Structure formats: structure tokens, C-alpha cells
């Protein structure tokens, strides 16, 4: 048995979690914070059989692929007035750890 820890953005986690559930995986969601950006993210905990790990990773990847989004930049003083210009930022992606489970007990 393996334990998957998947860190993904708060935007992607509901869809990823739903898809995992629909495909028979049990999921626990933790509200976490990135140490570098200090922004909120979500860590999904999934315990599953070894042969199911790749399926879970594929599902998570489907709902958290890296993509670019256009967002308004912070307003800056330009051309004689404060203006906000759209900038392209990369969002999404997942950081996934797969750990061996020594013992699994449900009481
Ligand atoms: P990612 O590498 O995609 O990491 C996204 C989040 O995943 C991280 O949020 C952290 O919560 C978790 N994470 C990633 N690798 C991990 C690991 N080896 N162990 C434990 N947790 C891990 P943040 O720490 O806020 O980082 C956000 C983004 O900032 C990272 O995206 C990376 O692109 C960048 N970054 C992180 N640390 C950096 C550093 N020391 N120098 C430069 N850029 C850094």
C-alpha cells in the first residue's frame, strides 16, 4: 500500500478531489500553506494499493496541469496616471510524494 501526498492549488483541489472520489479513491484534504510564497494551497492525502498509484497521479494531473492565465498586474504609475496592465502568470501544477505504508489500520 502507498500513501500519496499531493500539494495543489486551492483552485484545482475540489475538482481533483471529486474526480478521485468518483474513481474509487478515498481522499483527505488538508488546508496547507506554501513555505516560500506563504500562500494557501491544498494537500490531498490518498491511501491506495500500489497498482492504483499511477491512476491517482493521472487523475490529479488531469485537474492540476500547469497553464497560463492572464491576470491584472499591480497598479503602477505610468503615462501620467496609475494603470494596471494584464500579465501572464503560470498557475496550477502539483507536487506529489508517494510513500510506502508500513501499516494501515481502521478501527
Ligand atoms: P512548486 O515547486 O510548484 O511548489 C508548490 C508548493 O508545493 C510549494 O509552495 C510547497 O507548498 C509545496 N512543495 C513543493 N516542493 C516541496 C518539497 N520538496 N517539500 C515540501 N513541499 C513542497 P511554496 O513553497 O509557496 O512555493 C511556491 C513556488 O515557489 C514553487 O512552486 C516554486 O516554483 C517556487 N519556489 C519555492 N521555493 C523556492 C525557493 N527556495 N527558491 C525559488 N523559488 C522557490
Amino acid at each position: 500500500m502507498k500513501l500519496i501526498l499531493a500539494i495543489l492549488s486551492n483552485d484545482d483541489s475540489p475538482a481533483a478531489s471529486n474526480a478521485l472520489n468518483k474513481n474509487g479513491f478515498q481522499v483527505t484534504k488538508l488546508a496547507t500553506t506554501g513555505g516560500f510564497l506563504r500562500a494557501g494551497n491544498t494537500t490531498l492525502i490518498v491511501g491506495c494499493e500500489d497498482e492504483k498509484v499511477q491512476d491517482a497521479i493521472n487523475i490529479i494531473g488531469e485537474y492540476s496541469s500547469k497553464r497560463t492565465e492572464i491576470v491584472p498586474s499591480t497598479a503602477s504609475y505610468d503615462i501620467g496616471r496609475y494603470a494596471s496592465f494584464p500579465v501572464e502568470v503560470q498557475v496550477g501544477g502539483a507536487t506529489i510524494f508517494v510513500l510506502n505504508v508500513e501499516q494501515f489500520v481502521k478501527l
Side-chain angles (χ1 to χ4, degrees):
M1 188 178 197
K2 302 284 187 199
L3 185 72
I4 301 170
L5 296 179
I7 304 162
L8 37 156
S9 87
N10 290 340
D11 291 341
D12 294 333
S13 68
S17 174
N18 283 343
L20 286 164
N21 274 156
K22 278 192 187 144
N23 284 275
F25 292 96
Q26 294 208 34
V27 183
T28 298
K29 286 171 78 169
L30 297 177
T32 44
T33 305
F36 187 67
L37 296 181
R38 303 193 190 278
N41 52 29
T42 302
T43 300
L44 301 181
I45 303 177
V46 182
C48 66
E49 295 312 317
D50 292 24
E51 59 274 16
K52 290 281 189 185
V53 168
Q54 196 52 52
D55 288 350
I57 291 173
N58 291 345
I59 292 166
I60 294 166
E62 204 175 310
Y63 290 91
S64 61
S65 56
K66 278 201 166 106
R67 68 240 176 224
T68 52
E69 275 181 16
I70 308 292
V71 297
S73 67
T74 318
S76 61
Y77 194 74
D78 198 9
I79 54 173
R81 62 191 170 90
Y82 281 97
S84 171
F85 299 98
V87 290
E88 206 174 79
V89 294
Q90 199 169 59
V91 297
T95 300
I96 300 175
F97 300 89
V98 180
L99 292 75
N100 287 320
V101 173
E102 202 164 300
Q103 199 179 1
F104 173 63
V105 182
K106 271 192 180 181
L107 298 175

